[in-house]
Amino acid sequence: MTATAIEANGLGLGYGRRGHRALDGCSFRVPAGRVCALAGPNGAGKSSLLALAAGLLRPTGGTLRVLDGIPSDARGSTSRAEGLRGRIAYVAQDKPLYPQLTIGETLRLGHELNRGRWDAALAERIVEEGGGLDPAARIRSLSGGQRTRVALALALAKRPELMLLDEPMADLDPLARHRLTAALMTEAADHGTTIVISSHILSELEATCDYVLLLDGGRVRLAGETEDLISAHTLLTGPVADLPDHTVVESRTTGRQLTALVRGSSAVGGGWQTAQPSLEELLMAHLRSPDAPPMLTPSAEVATA
Amino acid sequence: MSTLTTSRLRLRPRGVTWLVAHQHRRILTTAAVLLVATAVVTSGLRIAYEATPYDDTATGLFTNSAYRGGIAAVADFFAHAALLLPLLVAAVVAGPMVARELESGTYKLVWTQSVDPARWFAAKVALPAVAVGVVTIGLIGLFRVLWGPAAGDYRLSWHERQVFLVLGPTLLAYGLLAVTVGALTGLLVRRTVVAMSAAGLATGTAMAAMFALSEYLWAPASATSGDPDSVQIVPGEFVVDTGLLTASGERLPDSVCFVQQYAACYTEHGVVGRWWDYHPDSHLWPLQLVESGIVLALAAAVAYAAFRIFRSRHA
Amino acid sequence: MVEFRIDRRSGVATYLQIVQQTKQALRLGLLEPGDRLPTAREVVEATAINPNTVLKAYRELEREGLVEARRGLGTFVTRTLGGPAADTPLRAELADWLDRARKAGLEQDDITALFTSVLEERADNHKGEGA
């Protein structure tokens, strides 16, 4: 296992004739063994980043290394999924599956394509859990949540070192979400699998993710351990006055009260109520202030050669 | 539940080859069934023909010629249907095989289940190519079986475009061209129905263009006659061009004396005879091979383009 | 075996919730020295939280000397959290005070409110001293 799961240096992805950029000069590092939240508004480039890491697209600028190779150059092998592609699992946002196949045939497809890495028992267990799905049911007859289950079964059963999940829980009811999150966390606990989840549901991320990557407009805004990022910021409330000498991420005034999120955790002068922001507050503040400078913790920095 | 994923796999295609074959098994079995049906009908007719080798003028039973007539009709249909085969192949490869996967996003599933995208695309080209190879060679053979007795029929002379197509490797070449054009079109036009139409159109255009060039691909033989008004005397009737011959051996086009007073025109230009450029029967194979060669080269170029584009976009 | 309940919206860090709930279990006698704490995997399977959080909580408990991690076996409780003994003199004094409060006419709720208010007031002062 490698120590770095993902390392991007100046990564860019552009498309269309007007040179629209989905990603623009992203540099960050995700260490192995983390559960990383990939957050950001629509159009921030999250899906593009995951697709690049999965080797579905070629970057148009910069470099991207995943585990210890370059995903878009990775060659799979015919009979054994030993290559880089075998070690990465990816589930797209629309959870593509072949509609005319049955669940059993879909799992068989996973077995056939991932020879040597496939854990058939795990796949069946995930599909059967909590009111088992009929293996003879055709994919097109399944609900969104059931499709997600099958798609995640395919991803988990190939025993990957890295899982890239694009909004996996969007279709699920809270119970199913809890069960599948538990399955993912158990996987991380057992095998130290690195998991990168892009999600809109920020409130749930704090308990599951120990690493966060915030993208906005194709650029990295925050990257690093959630704990460290949170403790590096302070939420100040108090009567409207000049803010102390810290980098201000965002400040809002309502009437006579000023609320501000600042960088820095050293003691602030009198009159200010301090508190530690939640992950959601931290991310939202950065999204509301696009001009705030990006912040990366040391483990998320990429050494620019 | 363990029957979900038991692997009773011995000598079967593995990995991506299995996937593509399994995915499109309906198309493959349909093609196989059609080939077998064609074989049955063709051999049945030929056997029946061989079994009645006579025309009994006494009893008025002209069974032989009746069978010959029937065979000619079937062969004519066969040849015309074969014209459509490359168009169909192009549409099938472009649509259900390539564009639909790109449009629906199922390719994302395959490429992240440890399958190399380039291998996947290669399989999508190779598998139909092999199937087309088998089917076209089969059809060419079967047509010849049918053509034997009825070759004299005016509809079935080898210089008829559709007959020429099925008589030799040209059908195979156009079939392979159709596969590559379909793959490239599906890759560029990621919408299933549009890709199918575009691929069919492109293949048809290529065929039409080649057909126009076809007779010029091999140097024709020449013949002359002393009578400028003689009807064609050349063997095989495959005339490429004809015109008026002067005493000095100069060749003039027919249009020069296409007037009422043609006799006077002849005298005026010193026309003493007629020349023909034609292809005798012995030119069948050279023409077949040259045309097939060009079409196969075209197919290779299209395939190369398709793979280059694929590599530059994906992996 | 103790079961953890994680409240994601409480504002309290997840690992702290585990630490607090373990300590509470020790106080209530649900956990005794020699008991094995659930493995990270078991906690994660039930609560769907990050396994590193569990490990962090267990490290904190180990730091406070309440548990001990034994390689390959698990994490085991090493000592109880000293709760007051049943016959501490404080208990008799408290019982006395309660009788007096009752005689003064205070209801159960009033007593609880009074007690909580004084407890908090004193807690602030204590924090000021001990910080």
Side-chain angles (χ1 to χ4, degrees):
Chain A
M1 270 245 255
T2 41
T4 306
I6 303 177
E7 186 173 306
N9 203 333
L11 182 63
L13 182 69
Y15 56 86
R17 226 154 293 141
R18 258 173 278 151
H20 170 82
R21 293 182 157 282
L23 291 175
D24 194 4
C26 291
S27 301
F28 63 88
R29 204 180 142 259
V30 178
R34 304 304 178 114
V35 180
C36 178
L38 182 56
N42 288 327
K46 308 195 295 289
S47 295
S48 303
L49 179 59
L50 292 173
L52 282 167
L56 293 176
L57 295 170
R58 274 193 189 282
T60 53
T63 60
L64 177 67
R65 287 189 77 82
V66 174
L67 298 179
D68 45 19
I70 297 175
S72 53
D73 285 343
R75 298 279 148 259
S77 358
T78 36
S79 49
R80 292 188 76 85
E82 295 158 337
L84 188 58
R85 285 187 189 273
R87 296 154 67 200
I88 303 173
Y90 169 79
V91 179
Q93 204 165 348
D94 51 354
K95 289 122 193 134
L97 295 168
Y98 287 103
Q100 69 273 23
L101 294 184
T102 66
I103 296 180
E105 286 172 343
T106 308
L107 294 186
R108 159 115 179 268
L109 185 153
H111 185 122
E112 188 68 44
L113 296 178
N114 293 294
R115 317 215 101 240
R117 279 196 87 100
W118 187 253
D119 186 345
L122 176 60
E124 291 177 20
R125 202 164 56 234
I126 293 175
V127 164
E128 286 192 303
E129 185 181 47
L133 296 174
D134 179 14
R138 298 214 178 261
I139 298 291
R140 58 167 157 253
S141 67
L142 298 182
S143 69
Q146 293 170 323
R147 282 171 62 112
T148 304
R149 244 204 289 162
V150 177
L152 281 176
L154 280 175
L156 282 165
K158 65 182 281 200
R159 289 257 167 256
E161 282 175 40
L162 169 65
M163 294 186 75
L164 303 165
L165 308 174
D166 199 345
E167 310 230 11
M169 309 290 176
D171 283 335
L172 303 178
D173 62 81
L175 182 59
R177 210 182 292 152
H178 185 266
R179 276 220 198 89
L180 278 167
T181 311
L184 288 173
M185 292 300 111
T186 314
E187 174 78 10
D190 280 343
H191 300 100
T193 315
T194 311
I195 303 178
V196 180
I197 310 182
S198 89
S199 178
H200 284 315
I201 312 169
L202 296 180
S203 51
E204 288 194 355
L205 293 177
E206 199 158 353
T208 44
C209 300
D210 53 0
Y211 217 81
V212 72
L213 188 58
L214 178 67
L215 289 183
D216 194 5
R219 298 207 162 95
V220 176
R221 303 293 312 287
L222 288 172
E225 291 86 347
T226 43
E227 218 176 75
D228 294 347
L229 286 172
I230 287 174
S231 54
H233 289 79
T234 319
L235 203 55
L236 300 175
T237 26
V240 180
D242 283 332
L243 284 166
D245 198 20
H246 289 289
T247 313
V248 177
V249 174
E250 184 200 42
S251 77
R252 284 181 300 169
T253 311
T254 32
R256 268 192 285 263
Q257 196 185 56
L258 175 72
T259 317
L261 180 71
V262 300
R263 293 246 173 98
S265 46
S266 49
V268 176
W272 294 104
Q273 261 191 308
T274 62
Q276 218 177 48
S278 70
L279 180 63
E280 190 169 5
E281 283 168 339
L282 182 68
L283 296 179
M284 295 291 277
H286 276 85
L287 289 177
R288 285 191 289 254
S289 318
D291 294 328
M295 178 171 182
L296 281 76
T297 63
S299 65
E301 295 264 8
V302 173
T304 37
Chain B
M1 262 286 236
S2 59
T3 49
L4 261 184
T5 49
T6 45
S7 53
R8 284 177 310 243
L9 308 152
R10 284 168 280 263
L11 275 165
R12 300 161 91 262
R14 295 299 182 88
V16 69
T17 324
W18 169 84
L19 174 68
V20 177
H22 182 80
Q23 206 179 345
H24 302 293
R25 61 191 185 283
R26 280 210 198 91
I27 298 173
L28 291 174
T29 42
T30 310
V33 162
L34 283 175
L35 186 63
V36 167
T38 311
V40 166
V41 169
T42 305
S43 26
L45 279 172
R46 184 62 190 261
I47 290 169
Y49 172 79
E50 296 297 341
T52 56
Y54 67 92
D55 280 331
D56 190 342
T57 46
T59 54
L61 284 169
F62 293 94
T63 25
N64 196 326
S65 37
Y67 269 115
R68 225 180 309 130
I71 285 178
V74 172
D76 189 36
F77 172 79
F78 192 133
H80 281 95
L83 272 179
L84 296 175
L85 184 66
L87 305 181
L88 195 65
V89 167
V92 165
V93 173
M97 290 194 75
V98 177
R100 186 160 66 188
E101 291 238 44
L102 294 177
E103 187 180 24
S104 69
T106 48
Y107 74 96
K108 291 185 224 167
L109 173 64
V110 181
W111 295 5
T112 53
Q113 287 296 324
S114 321
V115 169
D116 181 348
R119 280 202 114 92
W120 175 85
F121 194 60
K124 289 274 180 177
V125 173
L127 192 78
V130 168
V132 162
V134 168
V135 169
T136 50
I137 290 173
L139 287 176
I140 293 167
L142 288 172
F143 183 80
R144 282 197 166 254
V145 164
L146 211 52
W147 191 61
D153 191 305
Y154 72 96
R155 295 169 289 187
L156 296 175
S157 37
W158 67 267
H159 63 78
E160 287 290 324
R161 198 53 267 215
Q162 66 278 8
V163 176
F164 184 81
L165 179 67
V166 203
L167 272 181
T170 42
L171 183 64
L172 171 65
Y174 283 110
L176 293 177
L177 177 67
V179 168
T180 55
V181 167
L184 179 63
T185 314
L187 179 64
L188 294 176
V189 179
R190 300 158 93 100
R191 303 234 167 303
T192 310
V193 178
V194 179
M196 289 174 83
S197 322
L201 203 63
T203 309
T205 310
M207 284 173 82
M210 281 306 299
F211 287 178
L213 292 174
S214 167
E215 58 192 1
Y216 303 108
L217 295 178
W218 192 253
S222 299
T224 56
S225 112
D227 178 7
D229 295 324
S230 59
V231 187
Q232 33 186 173
I233 55 157
V234 298
E237 304 177 1
F238 191 168
V239 176
V240 177
D241 204 357
T242 183
L244 302 167
L245 192 65
T246 64
S248 53
E250 192 191 339
R251 289 176 161 208
L252 296 171
D254 260 332
S255 52
V256 170
C257 279
F258 207 68
V259 292
Q260 281 270 43
Q261 316 301 348
Y262 60 86
C265 179
Y266 285 169
T267 329
E268 186 190 333
H269 287 90
V271 171
V272 295
R274 178 170 283 278
W275 58 268
W276 289 270
D277 277 341
Y278 70 105
H279 287 299
D281 286 352
S282 59
H283 284 193
L284 169 61
W285 277 102
L287 283 167
Q288 280 275 338
L289 292 173
V290 173
E291 187 170 335
S292 304
I294 294 174
V295 173
L296 284 173
L298 202 60
V302 171
Y304 179 74
F307 277 94
R308 279 296 298 265
I309 293 174
F310 186 87
R311 271 233 141 80
S312 76
R313 283 195 193 174
H314 303 289
Chain C
M1 196 67 114
V2 66
E3 204 178 273
F4 297 115
R5 260 191 59 254
I6 306 297
D7 186 354
R8 286 168 151 87
R9 276 177 293 265
S10 67
V12 178
T14 317
Y15 90 97
L16 270 179
Q17 291 185 41
I18 295 180
V19 169
Q20 285 167 2
Q21 288 177 36
T22 311
K23 287 185 181 174
Q24 187 72 348
L26 282 170
R27 267 186 221 108
L28 294 174
L30 296 172
L31 280 177
E32 288 172 7
D35 284 346
R36 187 178 66 85
L37 290 178
T39 61
R41 190 190 202 274
E42 287 162 353
V43 177
V44 157
E45 257 184 323
T47 60
I49 59 171
N50 192 304
N52 291 325
T53 315
V54 181
L55 298 174
K56 186 172 171 194
Y58 285 10
R59 272 200 299 274
E60 177 66 25
L61 288 167
E62 197 172 12
R63 210 179 53 82
E64 293 187 26
L66 294 169
V67 303
E68 182 191 42
R70 287 178 211 153
R71 286 199 138 264
L73 295 169
T75 310
F76 294 85
V77 178
T78 49
R79 67 176 182 85
T80 56
L81 258 186
D87 53 357
T88 174
L90 287 167
R91 194 188 177 85
E93 282 177 49
L94 187 58
D96 223 23
W97 179 85
L98 269 174
D99 291 336
R100 280 184 284 140
R102 274 293 160 92
K103 281 211 197 93
L106 267 66
E107 295 288 343
Q108 179 105 336
D109 283 344
D110 302 319
I111 295 173
T112 314
L114 177 61
F115 182 78
T116 314
S117 138
V118 175
L119 182 65
E120 279 180 7
E121 182 192 284
R122 294 300 207 196
D124 282 342
N125 292 352
H126 185 74
K127 220 193 276 178
E129 292 166 25

